[in-house]
Amino acid sequence: MKHLGTIDVAIVLGSGLSDLFGERAAFTRISYEELALPFARLAGHTGEVLVTTWHGKRVVMFAGRAHAYQGFNAREITRNIDIAAESGARTVLLTNAAGALNETFKPGDLMIIADHINLSGLNPIIGSGLADPFINMADAYSPRLRRLAAEIDPQLHEGVYAGMLGPTYETAAEARYLRTIGADAVGMSTVLETIAARAHGLEVFGISLITNVVAAPQTSHTDVTTAATHAAPRLATLLDALIAQF
């Protein structure tokens, strides 16, 4: 099994974002199989680790995720975060494609994740063997990095991300419920990675690329990945500027 060596920053790329930095740097590519990372093929997720030096930092990007709806458990889903922490990363940038619940959001918008609601019924700390499993999740998403991102791009939204089990999209009633309990966007990833990252003491920045309006007629995974691809350059510019200022 290959090892990543020492890294500074880890990035997890969500649906449709695997080629986010393709034109900005040269990468060494390592397949998930070579790192014994769990993965199931899905459009918009390539299943590769991209390694490069960026603004003087060694950066590793996980292009694709394992999801619970593909049959993986919470510990498997967050193995990428474990590897990043074991390789010395102190910061993780989590990206995802998400559906808008907040009526002021539209496809193509970016939302800084200020907080999350874990509705997946899963938690990677269960069965982890941690001596102290009671991880404090207050300010799980770094206030420092959130402020920095807002300074870089003042047009960013900020809101609460609801993490669902999936793979079905939400019904109209579920969308109303999620909005009622305070969620601004919804998706099927990220929250378990954030929990795992905080357990490792990593600083977390999360951002959602809004690809669709929840409960809109005929939303499909193809629609989501297409919208993510079109809006990706703005997200790439933001992450590039963040890494430069770490």
Side-chain angles (χ1 to χ4, degrees):
M1 184 179 73
K2 283 194 174 183
H3 297 279
L4 294 177
T6 302
I7 65 175
D8 300 302
V9 181
I11 303 175
V12 181
L13 302 176
S15 294
L17 300 174
S18 289
D19 296 322
L20 192 62
F21 293 99
E23 298 179 356
R24 296 184 180 227
F27 298 95
T28 299
R29 296 175 180 267
I30 304 171
S31 72
Y32 276 21
E33 288 83 358
E34 291 177 275
L35 290 169
L37 273 170
F39 186 68
R41 290 289 168 188
L42 180 68
H45 295 259
T46 62
E48 292 180 312
V49 178
L50 312 178
V51 184
T52 192
T53 298
W54 200 294
H55 296 302
K57 293 102 178 169
R58 194 157 186 271
V59 177
V60 168
M61 303 183 192
F62 295 92
R65 286 182 163 101
H67 298 84
Y69 62 75
Q70 295 167 318
F72 297 107
N73 63 45
R75 297 291 296 155
E76 291 171 324
I77 291 166
T78 57
R79 181 59 187 145
N80 55 351
I81 304 300
D82 294 340
I83 289 176
E86 291 161 4
S87 300
R90 301 311 305 159
T91 304
V92 61
L93 309 180
L94 303 175
T95 75
N96 62 53
L101 297 161
N102 189 316
E103 61 277 5
T104 67
F105 293 2
K106 62 183 183 303
D109 286 352
L110 296 177
M111 185 193 82
I112 300 170
I113 302 177
D115 207 346
H116 73 228
I117 303 171
N118 182 7
L119 297 174
S120 70
L122 305 173
N123 192 310
I125 307 303
I126 296 172
S128 66
L130 286 178
D132 181 5
F134 305 107
I135 307 303
N136 187 342
M137 293 298 291
D139 283 333
Y141 297 89
S142 169
R144 179 183 76 88
L145 295 181
R146 284 158 44 201
R147 286 193 298 269
L148 183 56
E151 291 170 3
I152 293 168
D153 187 345
Q155 301 305 310
L156 294 170
H157 297 293
E158 185 170 82
V160 175
Y161 176 86
M164 304 287 282
L165 186 62
T168 51
Y169 292 114
E170 293 70 34
T171 67
E174 289 167 339
R176 290 193 299 271
Y177 165 73
L178 292 170
R179 189 67 184 128
T180 298
I181 65 174
D184 295 285
V186 60
M188 305 171 192
S189 67
T190 304
V191 296
L192 302 184
E193 291 164 335
T194 298
I195 294 168
R198 295 305 300 141
H200 283 292
L202 305 185
E203 189 174 25
V204 177
F205 176 76
I207 190 157
S208 296
L209 195 161
I210 302 301
T211 56
N212 62 290
V213 176
V214 173
Q218 299 180 346
T219 297
S220 70
H221 185 66
T222 299
D223 296 332
V224 168
T225 55
T226 299
T229 299
H230 287 161
R234 182 183 173 199
L235 178 55
T237 297
L238 172 64
L239 296 184
D240 177 74
L242 273 177
I243 293 169
Q245 297 189 50
F246 281 171

